[in-house]
Structures are given as C-alpha cells and as structure tokens.
Amino acid sequence: MVRYRHKLRKEDTLMEILRVENLCKTYGSGENEVRALDNVSFSVKKGEFVAIIGPSGSGKSTLLHILGGVDKPTSGKVFMDDSDVYTQNDEQLAIFRRRQVGLIYQFYNLIPVLNVTENITLPVLMDGQKVNEERLNELLDILKLKGREEHLPNQLSGGQQQRVSIGRALMNAPAVVLADEPTGNLDSKNSKEIVDLLKVSNKKYGQTLVIITHDENIALQADRIIAIEDGRITRDEVIRK
Amino acid sequence: MKIFNKVTLQSLKKNKARTIVTIIGIMLSTALICAVTTSFASARNFAIGYYEYTEGKWHGLEQYTDKDTYDLIEGSDKVKDTGVLSYIGYAEIDSTNSYKPYLYISGYEEDETGIIPIHMISGRLPENSSEILLPEHLSANGEVELHEGDKLTLEIGDRKPAPEKAKGIADIPEYIDIPDEAVSDIILTQENPFQGFDDEDGDAISVEKLDVRETREYTVVGFYERPDFEDIYCAGYTALTVPDEYTDDTMFTVYYRMNNMKDIYDFMKEKKLDGMAHSELLMFSGVSKYKTFYSVIYGLAAVVIGLIMFGSIMLIYNAFAISVADRTKQFGLLSSIGATKKQLRKMVRFEAISLGAIGIPLGIILGIVGMWVTFLAIGSRFSAFVGDRYPEPMRICISPIAIAAACVIAFVTIMISAWIPSIRATRITAVEAIRQSKDIKQKKHIKTPKIIQKLFGVSGVLAHKYFKRSKKKYRATIISLFLSIVLFISAYSFTAYLVDAIKDANNSFGMDYILNVYEPDGVEDASDDPLEILHCIRNTEHITDSAFYLRDYGFRVYTDERDIREDYIEKNVGQSGRGDENIKHDGFRLSNLHFYYVDDESFRKVLKSEGLSESEFMNKDHPLGILVDNTLLFNEKSGRMERTKVFNNNDFDITLLKNKKIEGYYYSGDYIDSAIYVNIEDELDKKYVPYDECLEDITMHIGKVTDKRPYFVSSYGVSVIYPYSLRKEILGDYTNDMYSYEYAINADDTKAGYEELKTTLKENGIPDGEFWNYAESIESERSMIVIVKVFAYGFIVLISLIAAANVFNTITTNINLRRREFAMLKSVGMTAKGMRRMLNYERLLYGTKALLYGLPVSVGVTYLIYLSINEGIDTSFFVPWVAVAVAVLSVFLVVFSTMMFSMSKIKKDNPIDALKNENL
C-alpha cells in the first residue's frame, strides 16, 4: 500500500490544473456530526486522467461536487488554474461551473424539453455566446449522435443520453471534466463505449478528467488512482505515465 | 437568455393542465380588476350623461344678464357654443294652480342641441316668432288642455309688485316681498315666486300685477318635458319661441360651453362673470377644482382593487410556487451547469410574463364582456337612483385609461405573485437539488392514530405519515381552500346583512301605491262611499290587491305592565315611560301605536292567514283586534333603530285615551297638564282644560299578537287592526276623528298600473292629489339591493373560480410529484382499491382541515360584519347557513374532482417506467 503523501512535491505543481488543500466537509453538529471529507489534499496535472475509487459513503461524490463548484467545503481550498474557487461569489461560481468545469452524472440529468443539440450547447447558450458549429459537429461525430440532433431525451436510449451528457461537459473545453459514476446506469457494452469516449477526449484533446467509479476495471484504465475511505485519501497511485 | 426562455416555455407546454389553469386564474383576476375599473368609468359616464340630459351640456351660466355680457361670452374664442333664453314676458293663462297663473314666454336659441335641457315629447321646435312650444306640465299641473295646432292669443306683459293690493291686509306672510311704492316698477322674473297667499277663507290674494305690453298670437307646434331650469316656485310655465331681434334692454340667460372645460374657472375670473359653473358636470368630467372628490373616488376604487389584488396574489402566488417546486431539480441542474441566480430568477419571472401575456388580454375581454352583460341586465335599474329623470340605462364605457389601469394592476399582481417563488428558485443549492435531499426531513417518529388504520387501513396510515412529513406541500392547498372559504362566506354575509339593513332602514311598506283621502277633524265621513272607491280601484287593470282603511294614531295608550316584555320596558323607559307624570293613569304607557280600521274583506284575509275565527274577532258586542308586534323603533337611549317585540301576552286589553269633544271647539295641543281647545270661529278664543276633565278612556280588546305584518301596515311602531264595519262599536263618538283615510294598492306592473289607476281616479271624480307611487320611490331601494347582489355575487363567483383553479393546480402537482411513489406502491402490490382508500383519506384531510380553519374564521368575520351593521340599525346575528353549506360541498367537490382527474392520468403509468424515469 502506497503511503498517502501529505505534502506535494515541487515538480507536481508544474502544469497543475487542479489543487486541493486540506479540504473538509462536515454535516450536522455535535454528536450527529458526520465528516464526509477529512483534510483531503491532492493535485491534478493538466491532461491527467484520474480515477477516484472508494466504497459507498466514502465521500467520493462529495469531493466531486466540491471540485465542481456545486457544493461548498466546510474548510480548505480548491484551486483551479491557480485561482481559489471558493473566494468567488455566487455569480462568479456559476460562471466558473459554466466555463471551467464539465459535470457528468450517473443519471444523465438532461433537460427533457431541449433537444440533443440544445442540451449539448447549453453552457455556451447560457453564456450568451455563439455556438462554435465546428466543435459541435466534431463532438456529435465523436459521440455518434449525428442524425439525432433534433431528438428529445425521451427519444434516446440510456447510452445515447449519457453521450449527450458527455457532449455537454466537453462543449466549452473546460479545465476539468468531472464524472460521477458515468457508467453506473448503463450496460457493459454502453459502459465500454462511454469510457472509450472519455479516454478519447483525454488522449486526443488533452482533456483533464476526474472520474468517480466503483468499477476497478474502469479505474485501471486511468493514469492515476486515488482511493478514498471515510473521507480520507488512503491511496494515491500513478499507474500510467 | 433565449435558451432559458425556451426551457420555460417548453416546461409550460409540457404541463398543459397546470399552465391552462394558471392562465384561467390570471384571466379571472384580471377580469375582476377590469370589472372594477370599467364600472367606475361607466358610472362616471352615466353621471355625466345624467347631468347633461337633465341640466344641459353647459359649463357656465349667466342668469338674467344683459346684452353686453352675452356679447362678451359669445365673442370669446375660448367659448365653443352658447345657448340663450331671452326674456319676452308673461301672459295669464287659465291655470288651476293659483300660484302658477302665467305662461312665461322665453326666446330660445342654441348653437348645439342639448346645451339647454329641452326634451321634446311631441311636435317640433318653433321656427319663427309666431310659433310656441309648451311644457307638458301645463296640462298635468295647471290643467290647461292645449294641443298641437291650437291658436293661442296671449296678452304679454311684465309682472310687477302691486303694493296697493296689499293695503289693509294685516297678516301678509314673510316670504311675500312688498316693496315701497317708489320702487314698485321692478320687473319680477322666474326667480320671484308668485306674489300671493291664501287668506283665512282659503281664497288666494295676489299682491302683484301684470303690466300688459302687447297682444300676440301663437300657434302651438309641440310639447316638451318639464324643464329642469323651471323651479317649483316659478310663477310661469315656460313656453319657448323664436326671439325677435335682441335689443340693449333684452334680458338674457346665457348657457355656454368652453372649448376646454378646464378653462371655465379662469375664464369666469378673467371676464369677471359672477354666474355659476356647472359644478356636478365638471366634477364628474375631472375638472381639477374638485380634487377632493376624485381622491375619494380613487380611494374607494383603490380599496376594492386592493382587496382583489390581495386575494389574487395569495392564490396566483401558489401557481408559481408549485411551478418552482415541480422544477426544483431542473433549477438545480441548471445551476450546476452554470446558470446564475439572476438567470434562474428571470426564468420564473419570464414564466409569469408569458402567462400574463395570454391571461391578461383574455381577462380584459372577459371583464368587458362580463360588465357589458351585467349592464345589459341591470343597467336600467341605475336610472331609479335618479328618480327616473334620465331615460338612458347605465351602459358600459370602455375607457382606455380604465383598461390600461386594469392591465397594469393585473401585471403588477402577477409579478408580485411570482416574486417570492423566483427567490425560492435560487435558494435551492445545486447539490441539494440534484440529490433531492430536502425532499423529506424526518425528525421524529410519527404515530398514526388507530382510528385511521381501522377506517382506511395501511393506505390511510401511509397517507397520514406522508401528510405529517411533508406538511409544506399540503399547506399551500389548505391555505388556498381556507382563503376561498373565508372570502366566499364573508362576501355572502356582507351582502345578506347589507340587504337586510337597507330594507329595514328604508322602512318599507308592502304596497306599491297609497291613495290618501284626507278629512279634517269634526267632519262627517266623505260623501263618496270609500268602499265604492275601493271597488273601482280593484277593478282597474294591473291592480292585484287593494285595502281601504281608516288610520288612527295612538299617542296615549295604556296597558297593564304585566303584558309588556321586561326588556322592552328597560330599553324604552326614557321614551314612553311607565306613565306621563302629567297624566294620572294606571298602567304602562305605550307610544307609536297605529290603529287600522280596514275593509272587512281585507280583515277577513288577515284572519285567515292567522287561522283565526271570524265569529270571534268580528263579534259586534266584543270586537277583537289583531296586534302586529314586529317593529323597528328608534331608541333614543342607544341612538339606533332597534327591532323590538313589545308584548308577552296574546289576549289582553289596552286603553286608548281620547280628548273629549267640546261643542264649538277643536283640540289643538297640550300645555303641561292641560289640553288646549281652540274656538273654531275665533282662533284667539282658547280653553285650557285639565287632563282629568277632558281625557276619556276607550277600552280596546286584543285577541291575537302576531309578527306577520299585512302589506298595508307600517313597519314603524306597533299596529292594531280592526274591521272597518265595527269602528263605531269600538270608537263610539270618536269614530270620525280619524288621522287619515287611505287605500293601499298593489299591482303586477307598477308603471302600467299607475297610469291605469290615474285614469280610473279621474274618470270617477276622485281627487288624485294625494296619490303616491310608492313602488317608484322605493324602486331605488330595490334597485340598490339588486345591484349590490349582482356585484357581490359576481365577485363571489369569480373569486371562487380563482380559488378552484388554484386548488386544482396544487393538488394535481402534488400528485404528479408522487408518481414514483405511487409506482413503487403498485409494484409492491397495492391494489387499486388500496390506492383509492389512500386518496379518499387525503381528500378528507384537505377538505376537513381547510373547513376546520375556514369556517370558524368565516363566522368570526360574519360577526364583525354584524357588529358593524348593528352600530346603526338593530340586526340579529345570523350565520349564512346556505353559504356554509355551499362552501362545504364546493370544497369537497373541487378536491374530489381534481384528485380524480390527476389519478386518471397516473393510473395508466407503467410502474417500471415511472421508477426508472430519472430525467426531470
């Protein structure tokens, strides 16, 4: 078992895209206090593919939500591209989520009244920006959604819906893509396809990827595995350079 | 952002039922507001129309002025139109009205019809100075019968005081102005009443003269309605003709209209005119001098609109709150993707604007159509408020300002309703929304009463637990229902109490007409047989019922105190007291007693309605009276009208005190402990006769006390009814001392019946001077009641519909949100019967809780209304049970049907699909 390093080495801060320092998240108080995260610190390099594994209730999802700016830590800091995420106000955080982060959920979480194109381009449209048609077409191609641009979510299979979700996460080429059990709701064939797509985005486009999974097979396809248990990092292993 | 708008619009399309119902709610609120603003605009329009019709369209008026002033006004470029009446003179006419013996001939010209209020009845306006237009009351009032085409030769001159005629007359009334001889050449105008008075023999004495100047012949070309500008006291009936050339001596009454009516006061000041402005017309037209009036009107409108807004906001807010609740996860997801709070708030407000864009125009149309129909139905009743002087009904006035105001107010109402939900949409954190962890927060174990298990089984237990755990979701529905119940019952109570108070305060008689034939004291019965007259009346077309009665007023009536209710004695000791200290008589003194000696046929009808025997009550040797004991009396102590029952017995005697007759004298009044008798021949010969010498007891027997009042009996004071044929047996020597002889008459068509009756009376030589059309005079009361009822019930219905829409929204959404739960229950084996039981319990919960809070509060509000009305007029407290019953039924009906509707949709759900569906 590799010992968890409490201090970051100097060379690791080069090309660093994400850094977490002494992150804590507690719920409740007194006797009922639950420490979901307990002094978590680590960093992620640009272009890295990190898998976070751990049993149920270990704090994986909590960690992901905090990294994504969706949930606030009780204490500690999160730096994305060297800027402290949680010194921003609500408006700035929203824009941060829109531009710097791409979130993929286990249960797709598409807007049912918007079609495939609209769901994918949602972060761009929220920004009031013009959609980069070339990028969109490229994503549709890679995600094998060509011909389904006008379809609504209820007209797609589970796998297709998750691909739309991935497209949404990649559209703005965010600093980090965070995926919470992206294959949890899919069969093995679709699961493989999704993981392959994520790997493509990582390898081909250098997209930094942090993925939560309980599936060891998927974890082993990452460059690095971080294991969490009871809110603490118990293992942080680079398995591929 | 367009994408947010698209998400909002698509969500609205997806939830069609809720969207439509919310639009209906907005529509109804807007319609109510529009109805208020349009009503005010229409009422204002009606008032303007009324004043223009009855008094003329003029803005300014100069009376009896000279040519210079006329030229000054006519020549001004600020004056749009003028109308002129010019003095020509008076001519004697054979009028039976001794105080109106003249025709007043006036020249008439106007630039535009209607400036001077002349309304044609027949014929046409005169076209030259040899033609004349006569007023219709020349016939009705003066009994001068002329027709179109008749030639009239008139000796025209000027009225002047005749001080010489006044010589030797001692008692000239003060209102007669007899000038010195030196100034006796002044010309009297229509401002001066006829200078005459009645002498002691009743003959008219004139102290004026007509200085005839010329004789002219006219052709009668038409008749017009009695003009508003001719007061009752005017000495001449105003006849109109085309004037000759004006001279410098001509006297004018100038009516004028401004180009801009707001200039009137400045114009009058500038030109130093001391006439008058048409204040009522100007006031209703919004001229700024009358800011106070308009502040009152706007204040009243603001109160009513405020109430509607309050109710609407409370109810429409719920629609948006539900929408936000339903889209919690959607808002959370959008937030996690990067939507700012401002963007999310805008989504909710955009929803409000979108729904308003549809609901408000539809509501305006509904409001206008609704008021149009309302005025079509009851518009003619508003004329009764102005004594039927204005023939036009109140019509809808579609004022752009009123419509714009309604739109703005409705929009503000919707935005206020959406405000809090829009804030709430941003309070849900992204992670909470995604996890839906706020869904249920169970703090402690919930115990379910055993009775619920017994009655409803597991289904009821589930429903109860769910209810207890997620109270917030139910609260909105229960609050909506609660508000609707309170508003409905309160509005109903308000109408019921107000209508009762109007009826009581106006002291309604039950008859449509009264014919009064008055005979002075000491004179035998009229030679005309009153029963013959009654027969003529009864045979007149449209007359449905009639009674003849002699009416006597009992000023001093005594009875045994034991026959009187204690509470009456307590209330009224100040008024009637246990006795008049100046009259030594046993017993309790009553006041305000009316005695009716009604024709036997009518008396028999009363006996029949009371189930009494004719032989007992119409026994010559022992006649019995029926006492009506259900009256309103003014209590001086409390200062209010109070409904009072006086007697606690059914069978007793009363003693009426009458002043004895003294030969050659009549009773004229009282002085301390004596009665004053005046010599019929010599007014100065007066006798003061002590009470114990001049008062005589008449014992009268009462056989029945009832609270049913026959139509001919006054509602003010206690009344006793006897048959006419037994009046001599009861009153003896005092039979002819009646206060008045009257006929109470009812008709099926009060307008037609009145005309027919007038003809009957004329044909039979019966004087109609004291013939009152009571139906017309209380028509305003009836109209007021109808109008109050129509508006109040209209308000109630609309508010109830808004509430029903709101309840529908809340319940359907609550059920939709629980689709997964129902699917899960189905999947573990709950039967359709079990589901029904669960929902029945919920229906019961909704309805019962809402009624449990709503009914006591409604009764409380009703009590406050009762206290308020009771301040002025004695009213008994009553609960409007009809409204309560309707509220109870409606609550369960709305809840029941809404749940049925929602469940019919969910029944078709496949449990697996519903459980799997993790999209939003």
Side-chain angles (χ1 to χ4, degrees):
Chain A
M1 185 173 158
V2 175
R3 267 190 314 154
Y4 170 60
R5 291 171 298 205
H6 290 274
K7 277 186 185 171
L8 297 159
R9 290 192 298 229
K10 231 186 205 175
E11 53 265 39
D12 292 338
T13 62
L14 295 169
M15 301 180 297
E16 191 180 77
I17 192 80
L18 169 66
R19 189 172 81 251
V20 173
E21 287 179 3
N22 302 316
L23 205 61
C24 288
K25 179 72 180 181
T26 53
Y27 297 102
S29 59
E31 277 179 12
N32 298 324
E33 190 183 83
V34 171
R35 292 204 127 197
L37 292 172
D38 189 0
N39 268 304
V40 169
S41 299
F42 66 94
S43 66
V44 175
K45 286 183 202 154
K46 194 167 167 34
E48 217 176 348
F49 180 176
V50 179
I52 300 177
I53 60 171
S56 270
S58 57
K60 315 187 292 292
S61 292
T62 308
L63 174 63
L64 204 83
H65 289 143
I66 291 173
L67 294 180
V70 168
D71 196 4
K72 286 188 179 173
T74 311
S75 63
K77 292 184 195 288
V78 175
F79 292 90
M80 188 79 71
D81 241 348
D82 268 329
S83 61
D84 189 342
V85 171
Y86 288 102
T87 56
Q88 296 176 106
N89 62 29
D90 285 342
E91 174 123 353
Q92 289 165 329
L93 260 178
I95 295 167
F96 162 78
R97 289 196 292 272
R98 195 187 294 173
R99 297 178 189 166
Q100 301 279 63
V101 171
L103 270 164
I104 304 167
Y105 299 96
Q106 179 179 354
F107 293 106
Y108 333 133
N109 283 341
L110 301 178
I111 305 289
V113 297
L114 299 178
N115 62 29
V116 166
T117 303
E118 286 162 344
N119 265 293
I120 289 174
T121 57
L122 192 53
V124 177
L125 295 172
M126 276 187 194
D127 244 353
Q129 303 295 326
K130 207 178 161 201
V131 173
N132 184 333
E133 291 295 331
E134 212 185 302
R135 173 126 179 110
L136 173 64
N137 282 321
E138 203 179 344
L139 278 173
L140 286 167
D141 205 21
I142 293 169
L143 296 167
K144 292 181 195 162
L145 290 170
K146 280 274 184 186
R148 297 194 192 280
E149 291 90 332
E150 301 297 317
H151 286 210
L152 292 173
N154 63 3
Q155 294 169 306
L156 305 171
S157 69
Q160 287 166 336
Q161 287 185 64
Q162 193 61 303
R163 278 187 252 148
V164 174
S165 177
I166 291 170
R168 182 177 67 196
L170 294 175
M171 186 66 206
N172 254 345
V176 177
V177 166
L178 306 167
D180 187 355
E181 305 270 14
T183 61
N185 217 28
L186 301 169
D187 57 43
S188 57
K189 182 175 174 240
N190 276 312
S191 294
K192 189 179 178 306
E193 272 184 28
I194 294 302
V195 173
D196 286 343
L197 281 168
L198 290 171
K199 276 163 70 178
V200 161
S201 72
N202 174 246
K203 296 300 172 213
K204 194 172 175 184
Y205 298 107
Q207 182 67 62
T208 312
L209 195 53
V210 177
I211 178 170
I212 287 175
T213 183
H214 63 270
D215 187 338
E216 283 252 357
N217 290 328
I218 294 171
L220 286 168
Q221 294 182 59
D223 299 332
R224 179 175 158 205
I225 296 177
I226 296 174
I228 290 187
E229 207 170 315
D230 292 328
R232 291 194 189 106
I233 295 179
T234 54
R235 184 166 69 134
D236 187 350
E237 189 182 337
V238 175
I239 56 171
R240 198 172 281 114
K241 278 214 169 130
Chain B
M1 298 290 109
K2 284 183 186 168
I3 190 67
F4 291 112
N5 294 348
K6 181 166 180 177
V7 170
T8 302
L9 288 172
Q10 292 295 344
S11 297
L12 288 173
K13 272 189 201 167
K14 201 179 165 209
N15 292 289
K16 273 206 182 86
R18 192 177 71 219
T19 303
I20 289 170
V21 169
T22 308
I23 289 173
I24 289 172
I26 293 170
M27 219 171 98
L28 292 169
S29 299
T30 309
L32 259 177
I33 296 166
C34 179
V36 171
T37 59
T38 307
S39 296
F40 274 89
S42 304
R44 176 175 167 266
N45 208 47
F46 179 78
I48 290 171
Y50 165 73
Y51 282 109
E52 285 189 343
Y53 181 87
T54 54
E55 295 178 10
K57 295 180 181 173
W58 52 276
H59 300 152
L61 168 65
E62 294 294 316
Q63 283 186 299
Y64 301 110
T65 191
D66 55 27
K67 194 164 183 300
D68 288 341
T69 307
Y70 171 51
D71 289 338
L72 181 72
I73 295 168
E74 250 279 294
S76 170
D77 53 8
K78 286 188 178 170
V79 171
K80 188 177 173 216
D81 294 309
T82 56
V84 169
L85 294 174
S86 49
Y87 175 89
I88 293 175
Y90 285 87
E92 279 181 349
I93 196 123
D94 211 9
S95 160
T96 53
N97 184 344
S98 48
Y99 285 88
K100 218 172 175 93
Y102 305 109
L103 263 186
Y104 169 61
I105 297 123
S106 174
Y108 161 69
E109 269 191 319
E110 58 181 355
D111 295 334
E112 193 198 289
T113 316
I115 299 175
I116 305 174
I118 306 292
H119 302 293
M120 297 297 295
I121 292 174
S122 65
R124 57 171 175 80
L125 288 170
E127 287 167 0
N128 58 59
S129 56
S130 302
E131 294 181 343
I132 199 162
L133 182 71
L134 297 176
E136 51 99 12
H137 65 304
L138 181 61
S139 157
N141 184 271
E143 294 183 21
V144 177
E145 296 296 337
L146 288 165
H147 304 93
E148 279 171 52
D150 284 352
K151 298 273 184 230
L152 207 54
T153 305
L154 298 173
E155 291 186 342
I156 300 169
D158 305 312
R159 285 169 61 215
K160 291 176 181 175
E164 64 275 13
K165 288 187 182 178
K167 277 183 184 155
I169 297 174
D171 283 328
I172 297 174
E174 280 174 20
Y175 60 81
I176 303 290
D177 189 17
I178 309 290
D180 290 336
E181 286 198 26
V183 294
S184 62
D185 217 21
I186 55 167
I187 292 176
L188 301 171
T189 65
Q190 290 283 71
E191 283 196 317
N192 308 107
F194 177 72
Q195 306 292 292
F197 58 95
D198 287 346
D199 66 9
E200 49 196 39
D201 295 321
D203 297 325
I205 298 177
S206 161
V207 286
E208 66 170 66
K209 61 183 177 189
L210 185 69
D211 233 354
V212 175
R213 286 184 265 110
E214 56 176 331
T215 304
R216 291 181 85 150
E217 195 179 81
Y218 291 100
T219 306
V220 178
V221 295
F223 290 87
Y224 72 107
E225 285 179 15
R226 181 175 188 154
D228 187 73
F229 51 76
E230 186 189 294
D231 287 321
I232 298 172
Y233 60 72
C234 291
Y237 300 92
T238 311
L240 302 173
T241 184
V242 173
D244 295 325
E245 289 289 320
Y246 297 137
T247 68
D248 289 339
D249 295 327
T250 307
M251 217 174 359
F252 297 91
T253 294
V254 184
Y255 299 79
Y256 58 98
R257 267 172 82 83
M258 309 298 292
N259 284 315
N260 183 346
M261 66 165 69
K262 289 186 177 148
D263 292 338
I264 181 67
Y265 294 105
D266 291 336
F267 178 77
M268 286 174 74
K269 201 172 172 183
E270 183 198 320
K271 302 291 182 193
K272 294 190 177 67
L273 299 170
D274 55 12
M276 57 191 212
H278 199 169
S279 49
E280 291 93 348
L281 179 64
L282 293 165
M283 184 167 71
F284 283 104
S285 302
V287 175
S288 64
K289 193 180 180 189
Y290 296 95
K291 269 184 183 144
T292 323
F293 171 76
Y294 268 94
S295 65
V296 168
I297 295 293
Y298 290 142
L300 190 65
V303 167
V304 176
I305 289 175
L307 279 169
I308 297 170
M309 276 180 78
F310 175 76
S312 301
I313 289 169
M314 296 297 281
L315 299 170
I316 295 175
Y317 150 83
N318 204 47
F320 295 112
I322 291 165
S323 173
V324 166
D326 206 17
R327 291 156 67 196
T328 300
K329 207 169 170 188
Q330 189 185 89
F331 286 126
L333 175 67
L334 287 167
S335 174
S336 76
I337 297 170
T340 62
K341 286 186 179 181
K342 198 171 165 188
Q343 285 170 324
L344 294 178
R345 278 198 293 271
K346 272 188 181 171
M347 277 180 79
V348 180
R349 286 165 205 172
F350 178 75
E351 184 180 334
I353 292 169
S354 306
L355 295 176
I358 301 168
I360 291 175
L362 289 174
I364 297 290
I365 292 168
L366 180 66
I368 290 172
V369 169
M371 289 318 297
W372 178 71
V373 169
T374 305
F375 285 134
L376 210 61
I378 65 168
S380 56
R381 290 192 169 267
F382 287 89
S383 298
F385 276 114
V386 293
D388 283 319
R389 292 173 64 200
Y390 182 43
E392 298 295 319
M394 187 180 296
R395 289 194 182 89
I396 188 164
C397 169
I398 303 176
S399 149
I401 297 174
I403 302 299
C407 287
V408 168
I409 294 165
F411 180 75
V412 168
T413 304
I414 296 166
M415 296 314 288
I416 293 173
S417 305
W419 187 265
I420 293 176
S422 73
I423 305 289
R424 279 221 186 118
T426 61
R427 285 218 186 120
I428 308 156
T429 63
V431 69
E432 279 170 344
I434 292 160
R435 284 184 171 162
Q436 286 192 312
S437 60
K438 272 205 165 184
D439 207 26
I440 289 168
K441 275 199 172 123
Q442 187 177 346
K443 288 189 178 157
K444 53 184 179 186
H445 176 65
I446 295 174
K447 274 190 180 164
T448 308
K450 283 190 180 155
I451 184 116
I452 294 169
Q453 175 124 25
K454 264 195 169 168
L455 286 171
F456 297 95
V458 164
S459 314
V461 172
L462 277 169
H464 181 258
K465 284 195 190 288
Y466 195 82
F467 178 80
K468 286 286 182 187
R469 280 175 188 152
S470 51
K471 273 190 181 159
K472 265 189 187 169
K473 286 185 182 166
Y474 289 88
R475 205 176 283 162
T477 306
I478 290 172
I479 287 173
S480 296
L481 286 168
F482 162 79
L483 277 171
S484 320
I485 292 164
V486 171
L487 277 170
F488 177 80
I489 295 178
S490 305
Y492 191 97
S493 297
F494 175 74
T495 313
Y497 275 97
L498 195 65
V499 164
D500 259 7
I502 290 171
K503 276 188 181 158
D504 282 347
N506 282 353
N507 201 18
S508 306
F509 280 80
M511 71 280 260
D512 294 327
Y513 321 110
I514 294 175
L515 174 66
N516 198 313
V517 178
Y518 179 68
E519 291 288 337
D521 280 338
V523 175
E524 294 291 323
D525 276 354
S527 52
D528 294 321
D529 182 356
L531 295 171
E532 241 330 289
I533 297 172
L534 182 65
H535 178 75
C536 289
I537 292 169
R538 281 186 176 153
N539 283 339
T540 305
E541 208 181 327
H542 294 296
I543 301 307
T544 54
D545 204 355
S546 181
F548 158 74
Y549 51 89
L550 310 181
R551 190 142 72 106
D552 194 16
Y553 183 67
F555 183 60
R556 295 190 187 102
V557 179
Y558 287 82
T559 189
D560 192 326
E561 199 169 305
R562 288 171 297 180
D563 296 325
I564 307 291
R565 288 165 60 105
E566 271 185 43
D567 57 344
Y568 176 82
I569 295 173
E570 274 169 34
K571 276 188 209 176
N572 290 283
V573 162
Q575 281 165 201
S576 43
R578 282 184 171 75
D580 183 333
E581 54 189 43
N582 293 314
I583 298 176
K584 305 286 179 276
H585 200 287
D586 293 333
F588 185 87
R589 183 186 158 186
L590 299 159
S591 59
N592 299 319
L593 256 74
H594 298 266
F595 292 90
Y596 291 82
Y597 299 88
V598 71
D599 66 277
D600 288 15
E601 193 183 319
S602 300
F603 187 77
R604 286 192 185 96
K605 279 185 187 167
V606 177
L607 285 177
K608 196 177 173 185
S609 73
E610 294 288 336
L612 301 169
S613 124
E614 198 179 303
S615 56
E616 207 186 329
F617 278 74
M618 293 178 81
N619 183 341
K620 256 189 167 174
D621 299 319
H622 192 79
L624 295 176
I626 300 167
L627 189 142
V628 180
D629 187 12
N630 178 19
T631 71
L632 271 178
L633 284 174
F634 184 74
N635 186 337
E636 278 166 17
K637 261 192 186 170
S638 64
R640 4 195 305 274
M641 296 291 283
E642 291 183 350
R643 191 157 286 286
T644 312
K645 275 196 170 5
V646 179
F647 298 91
N648 61 13
N649 206 346
N650 237 340
D651 179 3
F652 52 92
D653 287 349
I654 55 176
T655 307
L656 173 64
L657 267 59
K658 283 281 191 185
N659 287 86
K660 284 180 189 168
K661 290 184 192 302
I662 296 175
E663 187 73 40
Y665 287 82
Y666 66 89
Y667 163 70
S668 83
D670 298 282
Y671 181 75
I672 305 176
D673 60 351
S674 308
I676 307 168
Y677 285 82
V678 178
N679 192 321
I680 293 169
E681 305 282 325
D682 180 4
E683 292 266 332
L684 298 171
D685 175 13
K686 292 176 181 169
K687 279 186 202 279
Y688 293 81
V689 182
Y691 286 137
D692 52 7
E693 287 173 34
C694 69
L695 289 176
E696 185 175 332
D697 286 2
I698 300 175
T699 304
M700 306 173 87
H701 312 293
I702 306 296
K704 169 82 175 159
V705 174
T706 178
D707 56 6
K708 273 193 279 185
R709 196 160 48 85
Y711 71 92
F712 51 83
V713 169
S714 165
S715 68
Y716 188 82
V718 173
S719 300
V720 183
I721 312 170
Y722 285 105
Y724 176 73
S725 60
L726 297 181
R727 67 197 185 286
K728 286 198 171 106
E729 282 76 2
I730 297 161
L731 290 165
D733 290 337
Y734 299 98
T735 305
N736 297 327
D737 289 355
M738 288 299 145
Y739 186 72
S740 59
Y741 301 54
E742 287 175 3
Y743 296 81
I745 308 157
N746 278 332
D748 52 18
D749 178 341
T750 54
K751 275 203 165 99
Y754 180 69
E755 295 304 321
E756 291 289 337
L757 215 42
K758 274 185 86 172
T759 311
T760 300
L761 296 176
K762 205 167 181 180
E763 282 171 0
N764 288 281
I766 301 161
D768 66 354
E770 299 281 311
F771 178 38
W772 303 105
N773 187 346
Y774 209 78
E776 190 184 70
S777 66
I778 62 169
E779 189 58 32
S780 63
E781 174 209 312
R782 287 185 190 151
S783 293
M784 224 188 303
I785 289 171
V786 165
I787 288 164
V788 166
K789 278 186 172 173
V790 164
F791 280 91
Y793 292 147
F795 176 80
I796 289 167
V797 164
L798 285 174
I799 281 285
S800 303
L801 285 172
I802 294 171
N806 198 54
V807 167
F808 176 88
N809 259 351
T810 323
I811 292 179
T812 46
T813 308
N814 273 346
I815 287 182
N816 280 339
L817 285 173
R818 291 159 64 196
R819 268 185 128 113
R820 287 188 76 208
E821 182 192 315
F822 292 136
M824 186 273 294
L825 289 169
K826 261 195 215 174
S827 71
V828 298
M830 184 177 262
T831 60
K833 191 178 173 187
M835 296 280 262
R836 271 199 303 275
R837 263 181 151 184
M838 190 169 80
L839 288 170
N840 280 340
Y841 178 72
E842 284 190 29
R843 280 173 205 150
L844 208 64
L845 266 175
Y846 277 128
T848 313
K849 270 237 156 173
L851 288 167
L852 217 62
Y853 294 125
L855 291 178
V857 171
S858 302
V859 171
V861 172
T862 302
Y863 187 71
L864 289 173
I865 293 169
Y866 152 74
L867 284 177
S868 173
I869 303 268
N870 206 41
E871 282 289 304
I873 184 165
D874 194 32
T875 312
S876 349
F877 176 69
F878 63 91
V879 172
W881 293 112
V882 170
V884 169
V886 170
V888 169
L889 281 168
S890 305
V891 160
F892 285 112
L893 186 73
V894 167
V895 170
F896 180 86
S897 52
T898 307
M899 288 187 113
M900 289 287 282
F901 172 78
S902 306
M903 279 315 293
S904 67
K905 302 226 154 177
I906 288 174
K907 249 189 209 174
K908 298 168 194 164
D909 272 354
N910 182 320
I912 301 303
D913 287 338
L915 284 168
K916 268 166 77 175
N917 186 11
E918 258 303 337
N919 275 333
L920 308 162

